[in-house]
Amino acid sequence: MRGYLASPIGVTCAAVIALPLTLPEATAAARPAASAPSATTPSPAGSTQSLPLAALGGDRALGSTAEQGLPRRDVRHFSLVGVVWDDPDTELHGSVQVRTRAAATGTWSDWQDLQTHNADHAADPDTAERTSGRVRGATAPLWVGESDGVEVRVRAEPRQTRTGTPAAAAALPTGLRLELVDPGRADDPETPPSTQTDAQPAAADDPRTDTAALNPEATTLNPDTIAASTPNSDLAPLGAAEIPELDKAQTEQELLTLRGTELTEEQRVKPYIGPRPRIVTRRGWGADESLREKNFLYTKYVKAAFVHHTATGNNYTCAQVPSLIRGIYRYHVTSMGWRDVGYNFLVDKCGNIYEGRAGGVARPVMGAHTLGFNHDSTGIAVVGSYDSKKPSESAVRAVAQLTAWKLGLFGGNPNGKTYLRSGGGNLYGKGKNVRLNVISGHRDGFATECPGGKLYGKLGSARSEAARYQGR
């Protein structure tokens, strides 16, 4: 494949964390195991059930190292599932499969695979986050919809001797736990009506909840919401559910206001920047701001954009995406020990764009998306799995619109190349100055399958379209 060395099959692309501080007490309190909960309705605020896995099969001594899981059981309602383990440096060589029971119908799903190889899902080497002792190894999370029953099995892959004959299976990581995430319900309306849909979208993929009617001045904002909204206050009122789109002339004028003293003379005369797209804010998708680390972390520039997929599966409607993002956010922070959701932005299949990591959509927020290259870059995750499924035209268009604007704020040419210094990874050693596409896929900076072959194959189109939006 283009742009990367031989990558381990199955490595996926959840975000990679950078420099978290101390996790909130509410996060730590969610870690103990839940004890055989009975089925109940979801918590309005959201919750995480963390269940330790046990040996499966007749030989429990063998099972503890080679096969673990949980038999079918009733649990409290959840919508997103993943498996975590103690040591983030340990890879899970094997398979993780889950079956879930739909709360509405009582129907059990078929076995579904969770993507397990995620060596790229770790803090950058030598960062404070890396030595905190809070980060865990994890699978990618899987969106299953509202469920109240679960069954899971984790099997180590067989090893072979030098002669090719089967040997004992590799040991599984220690401390395996099943994480069942209930994303809760947002107090505010969720996704604004989609302005971009496929030519023939499914009815369920056209979100109709109207956040434009939300009046922030008439709504009580708590301090955490105000803190998260303040970095966007140049673009929208405090507590706004969305940042509205601007035409190109308005965006060029805004660029002079936001970064006038930092612009070159060439940028002032000819500001290559795409029209600002509509962006659903953290309040718009219902982020619980008490979960994340309170401080924001910034770099100096945004020189490149890395495109990812969330690997959460494609069985979602666009109206469910705010809940899905709340689930990913809670999984990243509460289950995996990260400071915030790892991506700077997320894009759904209807072309809706969402603010990810807090700190301001127009600012160079340090994300946690590409191990070794989180500095001076932004991470954009397309919601879904795109190894074998093509991304929608709306999603690719939204990536182009977002990058045309975001990179344009810092003078980036979507069709160009740039240099980033590696913080260390499995493709490039620490300190190496690497020449990359200004719009790259995750696999260009790390040996991974992310963002999936089908989405990676669309990046050329996204680059050309983004450059056109900039007027190049």
Side-chain angles (χ1 to χ4, degrees), residues 47 215 239 247 275 288 319 327 330 448 456 463:
S47 64
N215 180 2
D247 64 28
D288 179 352
R330 182 174 285 273
T448 171
Y456 189 76
R463 294 183 192 109

Side-chain angles (χ1 to χ4, degrees), residues 96-424:
V96 179
Q97 294 182 309
V98 297
R99 298 182 67 195
T100 57
R101 184 179 63 203
T105 65
T107 303
W108 283 89
S109 72
D110 295 331
W111 286 105
Q112 301 182 79
D113 293 315
L114 275 64
Q115 294 197 18
T116 59
H117 293 82
N118 54 339
D120 51 344
H121 307 165
D124 284 352
D126 303 324
T127 62
E129 208 295 350
R130 198 72 184 132
T131 59
S132 70
R134 299 181 184 276
V135 180
R136 295 184 167 213
T139 68
L142 179 69
W143 176 259
V144 294
E146 192 167 340
S147 305
D148 61 6
V150 69
E151 181 179 7
V152 61
R153 61 191 185 195
V154 182
R155 292 173 175 169
E157 66 183 15
R159 293 185 294 186
Q160 290 188 335
T161 65
R162 291 184 178 179
T163 62
T165 57
L172 293 170
T174 60
L176 287 168
R177 305 182 74 88
L178 179 67
E179 303 287 291
L180 304 176
V181 180
D182 165 22
R185 299 189 298 274
D187 291 335
D188 297 326
E190 294 182 346
T191 316
S194 176
T195 58
Q196 304 172 50
T197 58
D198 293 331
Q200 293 179 322
D205 283 350
D206 187 13
R208 295 296 182 185
T209 308
D210 183 10
T211 57
L214 178 64
N215 180 2
E217 295 180 355
T219 306
T220 301
L221 302 178
N222 65 45
D224 290 332
T225 299
I226 292 173
S229 299
T230 297
N232 290 323
S233 59
D234 290 336
L235 312 179
L238 280 177
E242 69 174 64
I243 295 167
E245 62 184 343
L246 297 180
D247 64 28
K248 197 169 192 310
Q250 292 171 317
T251 303
E252 290 177 355
Q253 183 59 47
E254 182 180 72
L255 173 64
L256 296 174
T257 302
L258 291 175
R259 304 195 65 246
T261 60
E262 303 169 60
L263 298 177
T264 66
E265 183 61 29
E266 181 182 358
Q267 286 175 299
R268 292 191 188 96
V269 174
K270 182 62 176 178
Y272 289 108
I273 185 170
R276 187 180 77 193
R278 168 183 160 276
I279 302 171
V280 179
T281 65
R282 289 173 65 91
R283 193 178 188 210
W285 55 261
D288 179 352
E289 300 295 353
S290 68
L291 288 179
R292 64 173 175 81
E293 168 58 46
K294 302 306 179 190
N295 296 327
F296 307 132
L297 189 63
Y298 299 100
T299 62
K300 191 172 182 180
Y301 305 106
V302 176
K303 297 170 65 177
F306 285 96
V307 178
H308 306 253
H309 65 173
T310 60
T312 46
N314 301 309
N315 189 26
Y316 73 88
T317 67
C318 292
Q320 292 175 318
V321 171
S323 294
L324 200 162
I325 296 175
R326 292 198 301 274
I328 294 173
Y329 171 45
R330 182 174 285 273
Y331 185 72
H332 283 181
V333 175
T334 301
S335 300
M336 298 182 68
W338 295 0
R339 60 179 293 140
D340 194 350
V341 65
Y343 310 112
N344 297 103
F345 299 93
L346 299 98
V347 171
D348 68 25
K349 59 189 175 185
C350 287
N352 296 303
I353 300 170
Y354 301 82
E355 178 185 16
R357 177 160 291 206
V361 296
R363 301 190 185 189
V365 177
M366 179 81 157
H369 46 83
T370 305
L371 179 62
F373 293 101
N374 289 313
H375 199 271
D376 289 344
S377 70
T378 194
I380 302 167
V382 180
V383 179
S385 301
Y386 298 101
D387 298 302
S388 58
K389 181 179 177 59
K390 292 182 180 179
S392 69
E393 292 182 5
S394 294
V396 176
R397 186 183 309 116
V399 170
Q401 291 172 326
L402 176 57
T403 51
W405 172 73
K406 181 70 176 183
L407 294 170
L409 289 171
F410 298 88
N413 179 354
N415 265 331
K417 303 275 189 178
T418 191
Y419 283 92
L420 292 177
R421 189 173 300 278
S422 173

Side-chain angles (χ1 to χ4, degrees), residues 20-67:
L21 304 179
T22 304
L23 288 174
E25 291 182 1
T27 296
R31 294 303 317 148
S35 56
S38 59
T40 61
T41 56
S43 165
S47 64
T48 301
Q49 301 169 71
S50 184
L51 308 176
L53 303 190
L56 295 176
D59 187 343
R60 299 187 70 82
L62 174 64
S64 64
T65 60
E67 185 174 11

Side-chain angles (χ1 to χ4, degrees), residues 83-87 90-92 116 118 136-139 173-176:
V83 169
V84 301
W85 53 91
D86 292 338
D87 185 359
T90 299
E91 292 187 24
L92 195 163
T116 59
N118 54 339
R136 295 184 167 213
T139 68
T174 60
L176 287 168

